[in-house]
Amino acid sequence: LESQMASLRLAFQDWLNNEPKEIESQNPTEEEQDQLEADIVQHAEMLRNIEHQAAKLSSMLGVGKLPAKLAKGLVGFAREGIRFAFEGVKGSENDLVFGCCLPFLYMMAKYSNWLKKNKTDLATIKDFLIEHEEKMYRNEEFNNVHPDDLDAVVAFRASLGMKGKGISDKQNATSSASVARTEGSDANSDDGGDDDDGSVELPRKQQGR
């Protein structure tokens, strides 16, 4: 399990390091847009390949009941995967965007069939996940977490048989409240005409995480 975790984390960190660069120009050329789209497709394929790798590694654990020693280490394996997804690399000085490691939970979901075999262990893993969800929700940068990254949390929760979307629901609720406050503020402000500064809004994928 330790070697599997190391292999998956290495592949995932390579995926993080190869994230497409957003276009700096506000008026990108057609060639720049085509290149970005190609890079995005390739990046998504990289993540799918890591998921396939995780599924293959999970299947290598065996069929049916795990050996006692392996089953005992599974909880620690799951906890480390969850911790990495929410916190990133321990002691790392890399300036990673908050929440960018959440897609690692897609890899952990490939082990959910093993994680659900022992109800006591499953409860421990669920509590550990909820603990990290709540910690992320209290972080001041929570609303900046990319929705695509939060989708990984939703997928992992579903793989464990958990109800609701967890922190994804909380971000949606917080965002809705923020929009409502902004609209109320706009309604009370003077209409100063068109404030368009001429900037071009880039597609969400180009804005980065």
Side-chain angles (χ1 to χ4, degrees):
L1 286 172
E2 185 176 344
S3 62
Q4 290 194 11
M5 177 61 70
S7 176
L8 291 174
R9 281 180 49 167
L10 184 63
F12 183 80
Q13 287 174 256
D14 184 51
W15 175 77
L16 281 179
N17 293 334
N18 283 280
E19 184 165 358
K21 305 295 183 182
E22 67 177 72
I23 300 176
E24 296 182 358
S25 171
Q26 291 187 341
N27 296 290
T29 65
E30 183 176 344
E31 182 179 351
E32 288 176 323
Q33 290 181 325
D34 289 344
Q35 182 60 56
L36 178 62
E37 290 176 4
D39 290 344
I40 290 174
V41 170
Q42 183 179 13
H43 196 241
E45 183 64 24
M46 283 182 67
L47 187 63
R48 284 192 292 270
N49 288 338
I50 304 173
E51 288 187 64
H52 292 323
Q53 179 185 353
K56 183 176 181 179
L57 290 173
S58 176
S59 67
M60 290 172 61
L61 295 179
V63 178
K65 189 176 181 179
L66 288 176
K69 184 176 180 180
L70 202 57
K72 185 177 180 180
L74 196 61
V75 174
F77 174 84
R79 286 168 64 96
E80 175 56 23
I82 293 170
R83 187 211 62 76
F84 174 73
F86 282 88
E87 299 177 8
V89 182
K90 286 183 178 180
S92 173
E93 296 182 357
N94 292 334
D95 188 21
L96 295 176
V97 176
F98 184 69
C100 69
C101 290
L102 289 176
F104 191 73
L105 292 175
Y106 285 125
M107 282 24 99
M108 297 308 300
K110 302 304 180 182
Y111 292 83
S112 61
N113 60 317
W114 299 114
L115 301 177
K116 292 188 292 186
K117 286 186 177 294
N118 185 299
K119 291 184 179 180
T120 301
D121 290 346
L122 178 60
T124 298
I125 294 166
K126 287 180 177 180
D127 287 343
F128 192 72
L129 173 62
I130 292 172
E131 177 185 332
H132 278 71
E133 287 182 334
E134 292 296 336
K135 183 178 179 180
M136 172 170 275
Y137 178 56
R138 293 192 296 269
N139 192 293
E140 61 183 11
E141 296 184 56
F142 174 65
N143 283 327
N144 295 328
V145 178
H146 199 288
D148 286 354
D149 294 335
L150 285 179
D151 286 345
V153 183
V154 176
F156 185 54
R157 288 176 63 91
S159 75
L160 296 179
M162 299 174 70
K163 297 181 179 179
K165 296 182 179 180
I167 56 175
S168 181
D169 280 337
K170 291 182 178 180
Q171 189 187 55
N172 290 336
T174 304
S175 297
S176 296
S178 178
V179 169
R181 287 195 297 271
T182 301
E183 290 177 345
S185 176
D186 290 343
N188 293 326
S189 63
D190 294 332
D191 184 4
D194 189 356
D195 294 329
D196 187 0
D197 61 3
S199 62
V200 178
E201 182 178 357
L202 299 179
R204 180 167 60 85
K205 279 293 184 182
Q206 294 182 20
Q207 295 172 354
R209 295 184 182 279

